[in-house]
Amino acid sequence: MEQGELLLSVHRRGLGFLSGLLLLLCIIISSSSITRVSGSIHDYRNEAFIPKSNAFFFHGGSEGLYASKVHDPAGKTIKGKSFIRFEDVTFVRTKESASKKNEMQQSTGLVEAIILDVKDRKRIGGGFLKTNVICCNRTLADSGSCNLGEVIIHKNPDNPDWPKRIKTSFAGNHEEAKMETEEVEISSNGMYYLYFMFCDPDLKGTLIKGRTVWKNPDGYLPGKMTPLMTFFGIMSLAYLILGLLWFLRFVQFWKDIIQLHYHITAVIALGMCEMAVWYFEFANFNSTGTRPMGITLWAVTFTTVKKTLSRLLLLVVSMGYGVVRPTLGGITSKVLLLGLVYFIASEALELGEHLGNINDFSKKTKLFLVLPVVFLDSCFILWIFSSLSKTLEKLQMRRNIAKLELYRKFTNSLAVSVLLSIAWIGFELYFNATDPLSELWQVAWIIPAFWTLLAYFLLVVICVLWAPSRNPTRYAYSDETGDDFDEEGVSLTSGGLKATVDIGTKLERKALVEDLEEDKRE
């Protein structure tokens, strides 16, 4: 018994140390962050153009934008207006290129900013003229199809102003050309792409700097993320309701509370904080167009801590902690180590996704950060189901029908969640493969929302199955043998009851001895 208490003490201290470490990390990174992170404001920092066909281009950004609620013919920034604004966008050519030009010439190099809805992408270039070139050449210019030295654009007959073209020219032998500050109003829903392009080979080596601001009618939140703000608000309310119900049950049966109930309470509290912080982070992003690093780090860290503790909760419940075994024994350190490694990997992925421009997260970088998380999630799943199998086997050996039924329900719920996860991953892969240009941006929010709902579902299942009650022995660990036959004894005859109990007692003692030996080995 003393050894079990010692192991339990070590386990509690280990969890306390990990929680303290995570809290300290949160405080340090949030208190030291004083910069702001770009979101719908796309910054260009002396970046180069890429050659393609007979043109050079730079991808200036892409976002889903809703149409303006109020049309403003005067071009002023008003509430309800959706737009893309160019601020301090400057093109810098090489000294060699500038030296070739005459300082008296008014235009010595043309750079075009082209805005298009993704559905009009085939209107850029000479596809409609049955040629693969992007820039107008002498032959096409002589035929009157386009202007020499400009990007070929086939205007949309339903909307003659689109795709939108904004021209900026270098003057004389100047090395820099600055765009006029301009707002382009968005009049229809769509996934909009911005490209900066030039056709003059002499401009090779030109760099771009400055920024563009993208705004939706109700704020700066990108179109893909707009529904998520409402979703996080609803989930905050859902966690609040679950927390209130759990708290009332917790207070009502506080004398019968076991250690596992405190773990469940911590996960519920973290879930409430996570949803609330994300909602306020999105609301702030929507109103300012930027993401303060402090708030974003808090939101990301709450998410990571909750994900880590949720997986640890599923693991220790599957191991039978507090139900089949009083402690985790020698595997406590392994569980904590897996949790710590998962926290670090998941934190890196979340930071990479949420810090920086919305559409500028490199696919290679994302893959590098996703793979460790996927591998660790697989480790959790394998360990959870392996532990569940052992726990069910022990309960069958002890003939404890009440606890066995409880764990069967938990196993079925977990199996359903895994099947749903696999099906959703398949759907997500199909969704991304069939929509490479984000044309379905208005429904893309359901992909991250699903995982939040699934985590909430599993937490509700655990809360229902392990809810505090006046009879905690139905799921709490007990070293007495009598409680293992409370349901079976009803259906047995008086003659066979004593023999069955004797056999059950021997099996119970054998199982307890095996548990102790297993803890020592682990």
Side-chain angles (χ1 to χ4, degrees):
M1 190 66 181
E2 291 181 359
Q3 183 182 6
E5 291 178 354
L6 178 61
L7 291 172
L8 181 59
S9 175
V10 171
H11 172 58
R12 288 175 178 171
R13 290 178 183 177
L15 286 177
F17 173 75
L18 179 59
S19 301
L21 181 63
L22 299 182
L23 180 59
L24 180 62
L25 179 62
C26 270
I27 294 173
I28 292 174
I29 59 181
S30 61
S31 62
S32 62
S33 57
I34 56 176
T35 59
R36 299 175 75 83
V37 182
S38 298
S40 57
I41 298 175
H42 296 266
D43 289 309
Y44 316 126
R45 301 179 179 90
N46 290 320
E47 298 178 71
F49 286 70
I50 301 172
K52 184 175 182 180
S53 184
N54 62 339
F56 294 81
F57 81 98
F58 172 77
H59 181 209
S62 57
E63 285 184 16
L65 295 174
Y66 293 95
S68 295
K69 292 182 178 179
V70 179
H71 179 64
D72 178 33
K76 297 180 180 178
T77 302
I78 57 176
K79 188 174 182 180
K81 181 180 175 182
S82 181
F83 62 81
I84 300 173
R85 184 170 63 231
F86 297 84
E87 295 183 353
D88 300 321
V89 176
T90 305
F91 307 104
V92 183
R93 60 182 171 182
T94 62
K95 292 182 178 180
E96 182 183 358
S97 175
S99 64
K100 295 179 181 179
K101 306 300 179 181
N102 189 330
E103 63 178 349
M104 301 303 294
Q105 288 181 278
Q106 187 175 1
S107 177
T108 56
L110 176 67
V111 182
E112 300 174 80
I114 298 173
I115 306 172
L116 70 149
D117 191 335
V118 67
K119 65 178 181 288
D120 293 330
R121 61 188 179 277
K122 293 183 179 180
R123 297 184 179 276
I124 304 298
F128 71 102
L129 298 174
K130 297 181 180 180
T131 177
N132 294 325
V133 299
I134 296 175
C135 294
C136 186
N137 55 30
R138 178 67 64 183
T139 304
L140 294 173
D142 291 342
S143 66
S145 301
C146 53
N147 296 323
L148 183 64
E150 294 184 1
V151 175
I152 303 172
I153 296 180
H154 180 49
K155 292 291 184 179
N156 188 341
D158 298 327
N159 190 357
D161 292 332
W162 289 85
K164 192 80 172 178
R165 185 203 310 258
I166 304 173
K167 300 179 181 180
T168 303
S169 296
F170 286 91
N173 57 3
H174 294 174
E175 293 181 20
E176 293 189 358
K178 186 175 181 180
M179 285 187 69
E180 296 288 339
T181 299
E182 183 174 347
E183 279 186 4
V184 178
E185 186 173 354
I186 304 300
S187 57
S188 61
N189 297 347
M191 171 57 69
Y192 287 87
Y193 280 70
L194 168 63
Y195 292 102
F196 296 95
M197 306 179 74
F198 62 82
C199 301
D200 187 354
D202 289 339
L203 292 179
K204 184 178 180 180
T206 298
L207 304 177
I208 180 174
K209 59 183 180 180
R211 69 178 190 171
T212 53
V213 178
W214 305 55
K215 185 179 181 298
N216 271 295
D218 296 321
Y220 291 96
L221 205 61
K224 279 185 176 182
M225 301 171 65
T226 299
L228 284 174
M229 185 171 71
T230 304
F231 173 75
F232 284 131
I234 295 173
M235 289 306 300
S236 296
L237 182 62
Y239 269 97
L240 179 62
I241 293 172
L242 178 62
L244 287 174
L245 294 175
W246 179 263
F247 177 75
L248 291 175
R249 192 85 177 180
F250 195 94
V251 172
Q252 184 180 3
F253 302 105
W254 67 273
K255 291 183 179 179
D256 300 307
I257 296 300
I258 62 174
Q259 187 69 26
L260 186 61
H261 291 145
Y262 292 102
H263 292 244
I264 298 173
T265 303
V267 174
I268 294 174
L270 282 169
M272 291 171 61
C273 294
E274 177 197 10
M275 294 298 107
V277 172
W278 273 121
Y279 175 79
F280 287 114
E281 200 269 351
F282 272 45
N284 180 79
F285 184 8
N286 193 49
S287 62
T288 64
T290 55
R291 311 180 78 171
M293 189 178 289
I295 298 177
T296 304
L297 282 172
W298 270 111
V300 166
T301 305
F302 268 121
T303 296
T304 307
V305 173
K306 198 209 84 172
K307 283 171 63 177
T308 304
L309 290 185
S310 296
R311 282 156 177 74
L312 291 176
L313 176 62
L314 288 174
L315 182 57
V316 298
V317 167
S318 301
M319 290 177 173
Y321 172 66
V323 179
V324 177
R325 56 202 300 177
T327 72
L328 294 180
I331 60 174
T332 302
S333 58
K334 296 179 182 178
V335 172
L336 292 176
L337 179 61
L338 179 61
L340 181 60
V341 174
Y342 183 84
F343 169 79
I344 295 172
S346 185
E347 180 83 352
L349 176 61
E350 293 289 337
L351 288 174
E353 286 185 335
H354 294 284
L355 299 184
N357 289 349
I358 297 303
N359 69 323
D360 293 342
F361 189 28
S362 168
K363 290 184 178 179
K364 291 183 179 179
T365 304
K366 186 174 182 179
L367 182 64
F368 176 76
L369 295 174
V370 165
L371 286 178
V373 177
V374 171
F375 173 75
L376 291 170
D377 272 327
S378 301
C379 292
F380 267 113
I381 291 173
L382 291 174
W383 201 354
I384 285 171
F385 278 98
S386 174
S387 300
L388 272 175
S389 177
K390 292 180 182 179
T391 301
L392 289 170
E393 185 179 346
K394 290 177 183 178
L395 290 173
Q396 286 176 336
M397 182 182 296
R398 298 178 186 181
R399 302 172 63 81
N400 189 320
I401 303 302
K403 293 179 182 178
L404 183 61
E405 185 65 23
L406 182 72
Y407 265 87
R408 279 176 177 167
K409 291 178 180 179
F410 175 66
T411 303
N412 291 337
S413 300
L414 205 57
V416 169
S417 70
V418 171
L419 292 176
L420 286 174
S421 298
I422 294 172
W424 193 258
I425 289 172
F427 169 75
E428 189 173 342
L429 291 173
Y430 172 79
F431 184 90
N432 292 328
T434 56
D435 187 39
L437 299 176
S438 300
E439 295 180 79
L440 301 176
W441 59 275
Q442 289 176 289
V443 296
W445 66 274
I446 65 173
I447 291 177
F450 169 82
W451 299 110
T452 302
L453 287 173
L454 183 63
Y456 184 78
F457 163 75
L458 285 175
L459 183 58
V460 170
V461 168
I462 291 177
C463 289
V464 171
L465 294 178
W466 276 271
S469 67
R470 287 193 180 89
N471 183 27
T473 55
R474 68 186 177 90
Y475 52 70
Y477 173 81
S478 174
D479 57 0
E480 298 176 2
T481 59
D483 68 327
D484 290 337
F485 303 93
D486 54 346
E487 294 188 13
E488 279 197 317
V490 176
S491 60
L492 297 174
T493 60
S494 58
L497 178 60
K498 186 177 185 300
T500 303
V501 171
D502 288 341
I503 294 173
T505 303
K506 292 178 181 179
L507 291 173
E508 173 75 8
R509 288 173 180 172
K510 181 180 178 182
L512 288 173
V513 171
E514 290 177 353
D515 286 349
L516 290 174
E517 291 177 353
E518 182 182 352
D519 287 345
K520 289 177 181 179
R521 289 196 303 269
E522 293 172 335

